[in-house]
Amino acid sequence: MNPYVGLVSSLRAAWLTGKTRAAEHRVSQLEALRRFLDEKKQPILDAMASDMRKPPFEVELSEIIMVKNEVNYALNNLSNWMKDEGVDKNLVTQLDTAFIRKEPYGVVLIIGPWNYPLQLILVPLVGAIAAGNCVIIKPSEISSSTEKLLAETLPSYLDKDCFAVVTGGPAEMTQLLENKFDYIFFTGSPQVGKIVMAAAAKHLTPLTLELGGKNPCYVADESDLQNVASRLVWGRCLNAGQTCVAPDYVLCSAETQEKLLPALRHAITQFFGPEPRESPDFARIISDKQFQRIRALLGSGRVAIGGQTDERERYIAPTVLADVQPSDPAMQEEIFGPVLPIVTVPNVDEAIAFINRQERPLAMYVFASDSKLVRRVLERTSSGGFGANDTIMQMTLISLPFGGIGNSGLGLYHGKFSFDTFSHHRACLLRSMGLETINALRYPPYSERKKGLVLSTFGIKRKGTCTLL
């Protein structure tokens, strides 16, 4: 017997009562989630310090405030989001009522990753609550302290009939996925994403996959290289590089590489001091397995900056690899650590061609003073998100969707996009019982006269265009 059958059934029974559909219930649960963030702030800081020595500044910036913003934005806009959305009508339905109703899917499963173990499970939870669903969340067992905190404290804030936390590793997740859910939201690697998608397919369950990939960053010759370096180092070293939208590698000319290296060295020293290992502002790698994987990539190209490691601390210094070849190990997988390879290309056209030969990434960056060059890269490439002259900042805007394309993911969320993701958009047409004379035109027996009248009332004509001579 699957150990989660009873839990899923109880949540489905709660959803069928309709209690989560009420605006008051949604608001109360969102406010409860906000109280959790306020009242458990110190335990959250402590848990993430334990998991990966994440600096408190980074926890507040990239975890707590991100979730709070989503909660407040949802509370500010929920009444408008829930309203039926009127639509255009054809001639036949002018006297009828046509609208889109946003309905909850039902019982939702949200599976979170270890790298941002609060943000990346609670931000989708905000959308699922706002849309009126019952939810099971499955935090990552790898960030064990945060998992424990969520399992032990979050249920006391939320409606236990409608929300639950499940813990455990791959075995537990496999058993959980055997159950029928109405929607699944997964954040993690493409490899595990395929497993989740296969499990969802057995029940024809719709899903969102937030995955990852190698995010390219092109640096044009005519750039302010010290500003470029500061923004690159921040994006690459935030959370010790364990960020799905971090710049994964740099493409630039050989001349720009040589000018960029001292700027990168200066930025690293400015941020973390002469010995980053001693900086309180630099996190650690989450696990021994991840440490060993990243350390093995340091043989790519030549170590131009950093390269120091400490297995006992799971410390890898902010590292820049120069003259990296496309065939090197560092270019074969997402790095997910504080290591930045530089691959030289002769010009922007070669950079675009290189990017387009790879899987489509979750994010793409370009640094250039020339806005036309920025537009050129934007128009000739494809990625989940795009940033010019900065890194990561695009995901701080709730008004922008966050999600991948192709190998980097399926679907999107943040702000209203989260509400829409967890809502079924139900097409509704309410007609009267009268006016049967009009309806009779579409009934058999058919005739040319009927056909002409019906086609004229159902048809959509292309709007005319006017050219000024």
Side-chain angles (χ1 to χ4, degrees):
M1 183 72 174
N2 187 289
Y4 302 111
V5 168
L7 176 62
V8 175
S9 297
S10 67
L11 263 65
R12 191 172 303 284
W15 182 72
L16 289 172
T17 67
K19 68 188 296 188
T20 60
R21 291 175 177 260
E24 295 78 12
H25 186 271
R26 304 183 198 197
V27 168
S28 71
Q29 299 307 294
L30 290 171
E31 289 177 338
L33 186 55
R34 187 171 59 188
R35 285 197 306 276
F36 165 78
L37 295 169
D38 289 335
E39 295 173 9
K40 298 301 179 184
K41 176 180 171 181
Q42 192 55 52
I44 290 169
L45 294 173
D46 293 342
M48 296 199 182
S50 173
D51 283 333
M52 60 185 86
R53 220 186 86 172
K54 186 179 288 194
F57 183 98
E58 291 188 6
V59 176
E60 295 212 39
L61 176 68
S62 66
E63 303 269 8
I64 296 173
I65 194 64
M66 296 286 283
V67 183
K68 273 190 180 180
N69 285 348
E70 292 281 348
V71 170
N72 291 335
Y73 191 75
L75 287 169
N76 292 344
N77 294 280
L78 186 58
S79 60
N80 285 328
W81 294 349
M82 290 179 64
K83 289 178 182 175
D84 291 339
E85 181 183 338
V87 297
D88 294 337
K89 294 176 285 186
N90 57 27
L91 189 59
V92 178
T93 57
Q94 283 302 306
L95 299 178
D96 304 323
T97 302
F99 57 90
I100 300 167
R101 173 156 292 180
K102 291 90 168 187
E103 296 188 336
Y105 272 106
V107 181
V108 169
L109 172 63
I110 299 174
I111 303 171
W114 53 260
N115 59 324
Y116 288 87
L118 191 80
Q119 181 211 142
L120 295 182
I121 201 159
L122 295 190
V123 167
L125 176 62
V126 170
I129 292 173
N133 297 280
C134 290
V135 188
I136 293 176
I137 66 170
K138 165 63 180 70
S140 172
E141 78 285 0
I142 296 173
S143 47
S144 57
S145 297
T146 306
E147 177 199 41
K148 184 172 185 287
L149 174 68
L150 288 170
E152 292 180 354
T153 62
L154 186 59
S156 64
Y157 286 84
L158 300 178
D159 184 339
K160 292 183 178 64
D161 292 337
C162 305
F163 304 99
V165 181
V166 169
T167 60
E172 288 77 11
M173 190 177 83
T174 299
Q175 291 177 313
L176 200 53
L177 287 168
E178 290 172 357
N179 294 272
K180 178 177 172 54
F181 290 93
D182 300 302
Y183 201 92
I184 296 174
F185 190 105
F186 169 79
T187 303
S189 69
Q191 292 78 13
V192 180
K194 292 175 183 178
I195 296 171
V196 174
M197 195 170 189
K202 292 179 181 178
H203 300 288
L204 294 179
T205 300
L207 79 168
T208 292
L209 299 175
E210 295 293 342
L211 309 177
K214 294 186 72 62
N215 305 315
C217 177
Y218 176 68
V219 179
D221 292 339
E222 74 294 348
S223 304
D224 184 330
L225 292 182
Q226 194 53 65
N227 286 348
V228 172
S230 294
R231 297 171 196 187
L232 268 177
V233 169
W234 178 76
R236 179 70 278 185
C237 293
L238 180 72
N239 200 34
Q242 299 162 116
T243 304
C244 58
V245 290
D248 192 89
Y249 63 95
V250 168
L251 295 169
C252 65
S253 67
E255 295 78 13
T256 295
Q257 175 184 249
E258 295 314 306
K259 296 174 184 175
L260 184 58
L261 286 173
L264 290 168
R265 183 177 288 107
H266 175 75
I268 291 169
T269 303
Q270 191 175 41
F271 290 0
F272 306 114
E275 181 45 75
R277 186 199 313 252
E278 298 171 4
S279 172
D281 301 323
F282 188 68
R284 295 297 185 263
I285 304 304
I286 185 72
S287 67
D288 293 337
K289 177 182 177 181
Q290 290 298 321
F291 172 86
Q292 290 158 9
R293 181 190 62 78
I294 298 165
R295 184 172 61 179
L297 302 178
L298 298 182
S300 302
R302 62 181 172 90
V303 176
I305 302 169
Q308 300 83 6
T309 65
D310 185 329
E311 187 168 5
R312 184 179 59 83
E313 280 193 31
R314 299 197 303 274
Y315 165 80
I316 295 178
T319 298
V320 178
L321 303 175
D323 300 323
V324 174
Q325 298 301 309
S327 58
D328 284 341
M331 295 302 294
Q332 306 311 308
E333 61 181 273
E334 184 177 7
I335 291 173
F336 230 62
V339 178
L340 185 66
I342 301 177
V343 177
T344 59
V345 291
N347 52 52
V348 66
D349 290 325
E350 289 297 325
I352 290 170
F354 183 91
I355 291 167
N356 288 336
R357 286 195 295 269
Q358 320 306 316
E359 294 280 8
R360 288 184 283 185
L362 185 58
M364 184 183 305
Y365 304 105
V366 56
F367 286 88
S369 302
D370 183 353
S371 61
K372 290 182 180 178
L373 188 148
V374 170
R375 291 282 177 180
R376 189 172 167 191
V377 176
L378 174 59
E379 290 165 5
R380 293 176 57 189
T381 58
S382 176
S383 62
F386 183 88
N389 297 320
D390 211 339
T391 61
I392 298 180
M393 292 300 292
Q394 75 278 4
M395 71 172 296
T396 66
L397 288 178
I398 286 178
S399 52
L400 286 175
F402 179 79
I405 180 171
N407 201 63
S408 60
L410 171 70
L412 41 82
Y413 73 123
H414 282 188
K416 186 175 184 295
F417 301 101
S418 296
F419 177 84
D420 288 337
T421 285
F422 288 105
S423 298
H424 167 61
H425 289 57
R426 191 177 187 183
C428 302
L429 176 65
L430 310 184
R431 309 203 73 195
S432 73
M433 288 294 291
L435 302 174
E436 191 63 5
T437 303
I438 296 174
N439 292 326
L441 292 172
R442 72 179 195 264
Y443 300 157
Y446 301 134
S447 69
E448 286 300 313
R449 178 180 171 276
K450 281 185 175 181
K451 183 175 75 171
L453 289 170
V454 169
L455 293 181
S456 67
T457 54
F458 276 91
I460 297 175
K461 291 183 172 61
R462 188 178 187 279
K463 292 181 179 179
T465 57
C466 179
T467 303
L468 296 177
L469 299 177

